[in-house]
Amino acid sequence: MSKKKTKDNPVNSLPGWDLSIAFYSSLEDTQIGADLKQLKSISKELALYRGEIENLKPFELCIMLAKYETVIDLSRKLNYFAYLYSDTHKTDEAVSRFKSSIGEEISNATEHLSFIHFELNGLPLYKKEEFMLMLNL
């Protein structure tokens, strides 16, 4: 027996999200491809910093960190959209494939960037202080 949605009976009237405000308008939004392309490109640039972070000047470290922040922001935006969209389209196999594909593409693009955390944590104190002074912190 199915219940019909009425004003007094909110069955199947879960709230929806307008994901186009903060994310993308649909699975076909061209910005998704553009963001994935940018994510991959910046990730490749960041890979060039492997073993070099300690030798960066403070302004170069700022540039690298800004790029890394962009990678994090793009990854989150793509992931959040994929998860939220899939939550409202649970039975749609294309949406499920999209969600998996986005996760895989992000993982492939960023899997080689874990060195950034290790090298930043391993910076000598004087380098950290130089950086903080430059930022006036």
Side-chain angles (χ1 to χ4, degrees):
M1 179 173 135
S2 66
K3 295 187 179 184
K4 195 171 187 176
K5 180 181 164 185
T6 66
K7 194 176 196 180
D8 298 326
N9 182 8
V11 172
N12 296 325
S13 63
L14 296 174
W17 295 299
D18 181 359
L19 299 178
S20 67
I21 294 170
F23 301 105
Y24 308 100
S25 60
S26 71
L27 297 183
E28 292 80 30
D29 191 325
T30 57
Q31 190 60 46
I32 294 171
D35 285 352
L36 280 169
K37 184 176 179 180
Q38 183 182 14
L39 173 73
K40 292 172 186 177
S41 174
I42 297 172
S43 291
K44 286 179 184 175
E45 287 178 37
L46 286 169
L48 300 174
Y49 287 96
R50 181 183 295 274
E52 298 298 323
I53 292 177
E54 184 175 351
N55 302 322
L56 296 177
K57 295 178 178 142
F59 76 91
E60 293 171 322
L61 185 58
C62 282
I63 292 168
M64 189 219 61
L65 290 174
K67 289 179 182 182
Y68 190 55
E69 184 177 16
T70 300
V71 164
I72 291 169
D73 289 345
L74 288 170
S75 298
R76 286 181 178 163
K77 180 181 178 186
L78 289 158
N79 256 329
Y80 291 164
F81 174 76
Y83 278 92
L84 292 171
Y85 196 87
S86 70
D87 278 350
T88 58
H89 298 82
K90 292 262 187 216
T91 59
D92 189 330
E93 287 186 38
V95 174
S96 180
R97 284 191 301 275
F98 171 81
K99 179 182 164 189
S100 295
S101 173
I102 289 293
E104 189 174 318
E105 292 214 43
I106 292 169
S107 181
N108 289 339
T110 61
E111 68 185 349
H112 57 282
L113 299 180
S114 61
F115 73 91
I116 293 173
H117 293 281
F118 297 118
E119 289 190 33
L120 287 173
N121 286 333
L123 284 176
L125 184 58
Y126 80 92
K127 288 294 268 189
K128 293 176 185 176
E129 289 171 346
E130 276 181 0
F131 181 66
M132 298 303 231
L133 283 172
M134 184 192 152
L135 296 176
N136 294 320
L137 296 178

